[in-house]
Amino acid sequence: MIKALFFDIDGTLVSFKTHRIPQSAVDALQHAHDKGMKIFISTGRPVPFINNLDQIEPLIDGYITTTGAYCFIGDRVVCEYPMNREEVQKIMDMANRDGKTTAIVGKEDIAIINPKHVAEEVFIKGLGLTGFCFTPLDTVLHQPILQVTPFFDDEEEKELKPLIPHCISSRWHPAFTDITDEHADKGKALHAMADALGISVKETAAFGDGGNDIPIIREAGIGVAMGNAKDDVKAAADIVTRDIDNNGIATALNKLL
């Protein structure tokens, strides 16, 4: 019996086209909540970037954020994995060398270096972050760094990896990759959240569409890939549902509940 549901945000709950949750998904989540299911978010977004869940906020029991680097249920922190400072610096050095836009995610605030048009197109417009204000880098660097998001392509990511052996890189968008501590991924976070809830991971279902969702889809009792997911995500899933904009969440939940 499934007791807890975990949902990625972008491309899974929230449409890239409308930046909203389809009403069919809202209704299905309300039905799941009314039946006693716990509902969790599982996202690569850091907390300050989570600005698009107002339609279901009262239904949410907890969060996996920054690809598993910071997870909490209410006021209780379940896990937190700051990055190695030397490796953060190595990422920034490479970004500055090549003039690449990079977001530095602190526990409370987010800074950006080498801001360019790509950040405006992908972060502000693409992720619906209109009006978001970045914090000065010096301020953020005094906080635990949970994630660094460089706008590196695949080849640049391969060049970087040997320089950051205590980190992992998770790409869910072609323009950038999210880099976190090696202990942080959504699959490991699922286990931590299940332990905190006192349930087995076999009693969970996880929904996603991006590469950073593969670990949690594999670890969950039932892994669900959206119809708009890439082939490697679908291959990891137990169920492939419809696209987000074609009632994908509601269709899958109707099968599970």
Side-chain angles (χ1 to χ4, degrees), residues 173-228:
H173 192 286
F176 59 78
T177 186
D178 288 332
I179 299 173
T180 57
D181 178 81
E182 62 186 336
H183 296 97
D185 73 37
K186 292 185 181 185
K188 294 173 183 174
L190 176 68
H191 281 271
M193 297 291 269
D195 287 346
L197 292 168
I199 65 174
S200 166
V201 291
K202 293 181 180 180
E203 297 174 303
T204 67
F207 296 67
D209 71 298
N212 66 350
D213 296 312
I214 291 175
I216 194 170
I217 285 174
R218 285 177 173 163
E219 293 298 317
I222 298 176
V224 183
M226 303 302 292
N228 46 281

Side-chain angles (χ1 to χ4, degrees), residues 32 66 88 108 143 168:
T66 47
V88 170
E108 299 175 6
Q143 303 171 16
I168 54 175

Side-chain angles (χ1 to χ4, degrees), residues 88-189:
V88 170
Q89 188 61 52
K90 288 178 180 178
I91 302 168
M92 291 195 296
D93 288 346
M94 184 172 167
N96 285 326
R97 182 197 74 184
D98 298 336
K100 291 301 182 82
T101 298
T102 300
I104 314 299
V105 178
K107 186 174 180 179
E108 299 175 6
D109 303 292
I110 302 173
I112 194 163
I113 60 174
N114 305 313
K116 294 183 178 179
H117 184 65
V118 66
E120 174 74 19
E121 287 297 314
V122 176
F123 274 167
I124 306 304
K125 294 181 181 178
L127 299 184
L129 296 173
T130 302
F132 183 84
C133 294
F134 290 98
T135 299
L137 180 62
D138 287 347
T139 299
V140 173
L141 289 178
H142 281 91
Q143 303 171 16
I145 303 302
L146 300 177
Q147 183 170 280
V148 179
T149 301
F151 280 69
F152 289 175
D153 60 26
D154 290 336
E155 290 303 313
E156 291 164 327
E157 184 182 354
K158 289 178 183 177
E159 178 187 349
L160 175 66
K161 281 184 176 180
L163 305 177
I164 52 170
H166 300 101
C167 295
I168 54 175
S169 181
S170 301
R171 185 178 294 272
W172 58 273
H173 192 286
F176 59 78
T177 186
D178 288 332
I179 299 173
T180 57
D181 178 81
E182 62 186 336
H183 296 97
D185 73 37
K186 292 185 181 185
K188 294 173 183 174

